[in-house]
Structure formats: structure tokens, C-alpha cells
Amino acid sequence: MENILEVENLNKTYAESNFELKNITFSIPYGSIVGFIGENGAGKTSTMGAILGTLKVDNGSIKIFNQEIDYSNEKWKEEVGVVFDHMNFPSNLNIIQISNILSYIYQQWDTEKFFHYIEDFSLPKNDKVGNFSRGMSMKLSIAVALSHNTKLLMLDEATSGLDPKARNEILGVFLEFVKDKNRSILLSSHITSDIEKIADYLIFIKKGKIILQTSKKELLDNYAVIQCASTEVGQIDSRVIVSHRYKAGLLEMLVSDKNTIPATFKIEDNSLDEITLLLMEGDCYEGSHA
Ligand SMILES: Nc1ncnc2c1ncn2[C@@H]1O[C@H](COP(=O)(O)OP(=O)(O)OP(=O)(O)O)[C@@H](O)[C@H]1O
């Protein structure tokens, strides 16, 4: 059993908009952090909603912990921690009261672990959470998500309200979480530097479709952004071209194997930021890389 989550051919068309999730297929290996990258409206939250059952899909298969998810029985949710970009706890409660309530909701609520995170994150136990800043709210949501024997952590823009110090601290917690190889994280973020720091695998989604999925190592070692004149494109093996766009009269391309590029071509960049930009703004070649 090597994948904690397997999503296969998920399709969804919203009745109230033209947006579609198209054949979303990916898996999350045990012990890994998967970065889910896409611009606003690409379909990241919809995909997470589909997995959690809050969004009803048209078809597709989702296996968690090696079993098809049974949405009529919520037991599997015990082991799934979820953090969205907003906090869901009643504003008039404090952290002690929230812990008490959650100990009735989650069979495996770990009070000790929870208060350990609360201490680590320097959150006040007796203040009403409604007065928390955005960063404090996110820290609280993350502490909760980590404290019920969680095996799969799903985070949708969960680091976006944090200052650089808090963000680093949380990224360290995430790395620690997957260290024993029995747990995994699916992390959507606009902040590619966070994903670059901790992700093992990357999934890029655009307009409801996965356009590229690969390991971070493969991406940073072998992919590159190059520029050339349109007349030179014939010198490049078309099979390695992932995405392209025209920029200042030149053709800018993302290639999947920089070692196949003739030495006369200049490698412009191979940072995750630049690669993401070209994937999002360029035209992607169908097929081989998703
Ligand atoms: N209930 C709904 N009915 C109709 N369309 C919807 C609904 N929810 C989301 N959409 C549309 O689905 C598309 C994808 O939205 P989604 O929230 O999944 O994207 P996202 O990648 O998470 O974006 P962001 O980064 O801005 O959070 C958007 O165009 C959105 O308008």
C-alpha cells in the first residue's frame, strides 16, 4: 500500500458556471508532501471539496487509506485534518472550550498534543478566538487539524495569513508530521516558495485540468525555461516542450529535459516561480506531462 490517497478521473461541471473539473487524476504517496499549484479559480478548492465530499462530483473514483471513500459513513474523516483559508470555530469560545468540544467530536482527540502545539504557536488559551488575528486563526486551525490522529492533512491556502517567521515554523511542523512515512500532506498555496521548501511532488492545475505532475526533484533538476527565435524551434525535440508563449518577439518555452537542448540555447531560468508562471500563462502541449 503505497498511496494514502488516489484520485482517478474526477469530473465535475457546475450548474451555475461554465467551470469544469476535467479528469482529475493524481495520487499522494505515504510520507510525502504534495504541492497543489494553480492560479485563482483553477479548481484547487473544488478538487479538495470533491475529495472531502462537500462537492458532489459527476463521476470519478477516490480511494483513501486504500479504500474507496464511503461518504455515507464519515469515519474516515477522523484521520483527515483539513485547514481552509478561514477559521470555522465560534468566535465567542476560547481554546480550552474548543478543545473540550473537539474531544467529543473526534474519538481520537489528543488534548496533550493539541496544547503542545498551542504552546509552540504561542496562542493564548483564555482569549476568545473571535479576537484572533488571521495568522493566529490559521495556527489554531492547523493545531486542531494535527491533533486527532491525523494521517492525511489537506491544506488550502493555509499558510497565506502567516508572517515569514510563523510560516517557517509551520513548514517545520509539516516536515515533522510526514517524517515517519505514515502520513502525508496535500498543500495548495499561491506561495510557491513555501511549496518549493517542503513539497516532494508538485501538481499544477489550470482551468480545471491537471497540466503537469512531477516530483520536485525532477522539476528542478531537469526542467528549464528557455528562449529562442521561432526559426530555431526546429532544433528542439518537440517531445520535451511542455508549454510555450511569445515574449518580446521571442518564443519562451518550458522544456522537461534541459539536457536535450543544444548548447547554443541559453537556459533562462529554472526556478519554481518562473516554471509556474510559464505553465500558467503559456499554452500547454496536450498529453505527455500530466
Ligand atoms: N458553487 C459553485 N457554483 C458554480 N461555480 C463555482 C462554484 N464554486 C466554485 N465555482 C467556480 O469554480 C472555479 C474554480 O474555483 P475554485 O475555488 O475551485 O478555484 P481555486 O483554484 O481554489 O481558486 P482560488 O485560488 O482563488 O481559491 C471558479 O471559476 C469558481 O467560480
Side-chain angles (χ1 to χ4, degrees), residues 14-17 19 38-47 156-157 190:
Y14 282 112
E16 304 83 9
S17 71
F19 183 81
E39 54 197 356
N40 290 129
K44 303 179 297 295
T45 305
S46 301
T47 303
D156 195 5
E157 297 296 340
H190 291 125

Side-chain angles (χ1 to χ4, degrees), residues 36-271:
F36 200 23
I37 305 172
E39 54 197 356
N40 290 129
K44 303 179 297 295
T45 305
S46 301
T47 303
M48 292 204 187
I51 295 167
L52 294 167
T54 52
L55 178 69
K56 197 170 172 336
V57 295
D58 303 331
N59 49 54
S61 141
I62 305 173
K63 275 189 188 164
I64 198 162
F65 313 129
N66 218 25
Q67 279 192 329
E68 197 75 29
I69 294 191
D70 175 3
Y71 289 104
S72 64
N73 176 350
E74 304 238 304
K75 206 167 177 305
W76 59 275
K77 283 199 176 168
E78 279 277 327
E79 295 181 332
V80 178
V82 181
V83 183
F84 285 106
D85 64 352
H86 53 274
M87 186 181 66
N88 281 325
F89 306 113
S91 56
N92 58 332
L93 298 182
N94 66 31
I95 283 181
I96 296 171
Q97 292 164 323
I98 288 174
S99 176
N100 280 338
I101 293 171
L102 292 175
S103 69
Y104 289 102
I105 294 177
Y106 291 107
Q107 279 177 11
Q108 305 192 67
W109 180 249
D110 189 335
T111 308
E112 199 178 315
K113 187 183 261 181
F114 176 66
F115 281 104
H116 177 79
Y117 283 123
I118 295 303
E119 290 281 317
D120 272 6
F121 297 163
S122 306
L123 293 173
K125 287 181 219 153
N126 296 301
D127 296 0
K128 286 183 179 170
V129 298
N131 296 329
F132 280 13
S133 69
R134 183 175 157 76
M136 290 162 81
S137 307
M138 295 319 296
K139 284 177 171 180
L140 172 59
S141 302
I142 290 168
V144 168
L146 288 167
S147 301
H148 47 87
N149 194 25
T150 312
K151 300 273 187 334
L152 175 64
L153 189 57
M154 289 174 53
L155 304 148
D156 195 5
E157 297 296 340
T159 55
S160 57
L162 303 173
D163 62 42
K165 184 174 161 282
R167 183 175 293 142
N168 250 345
E169 188 185 351
I170 297 284
L171 295 183
V173 170
F174 294 162
L175 286 171
E176 188 65 34
F177 175 77
V178 296
K179 215 165 129 191
D180 71 0
K181 303 282 171 211
N182 286 322
R183 300 182 289 194
S184 310
I185 297 177
L186 176 63
L187 167 77
S188 97
S189 180
H190 291 125
I191 306 164
T192 42
S193 62
D194 283 357
I195 290 188
E196 185 155 4
K197 265 188 203 144
I198 63 167
D200 304 293
Y201 298 95
L202 305 167
I203 298 172
F204 294 87
I205 183 169
K206 182 175 175 179
K207 295 182 183 159
K209 205 168 160 210
I210 292 179
I211 51 170
L212 176 67
Q213 47 184 320
T214 179
S215 72
K216 182 178 71 182
K217 184 172 175 358
E218 165 79 12
L219 192 88
L220 297 180
D221 287 357
N222 296 328
Y223 282 62
V225 174
I226 60 166
Q227 268 188 359
C228 66
S230 316
T231 48
E232 295 170 309
V233 73
Q235 298 174 45
I236 295 172
D237 180 348
S238 61
R239 287 170 301 183
V240 304
I241 305 173
V242 181
S243 173
H244 78 281
R245 68 172 172 178
Y246 287 93
K247 193 177 164 190
L250 289 171
L251 191 57
E252 192 174 48
M253 283 178 282
L254 174 65
V255 293
S256 58
D257 186 353
K258 64 185 175 205
N259 299 316
T260 65
I261 304 304
T264 47
F265 283 76
K266 185 168 166 266
I267 305 282
E268 291 296 319
D269 203 327
N270 66 346
S271 67

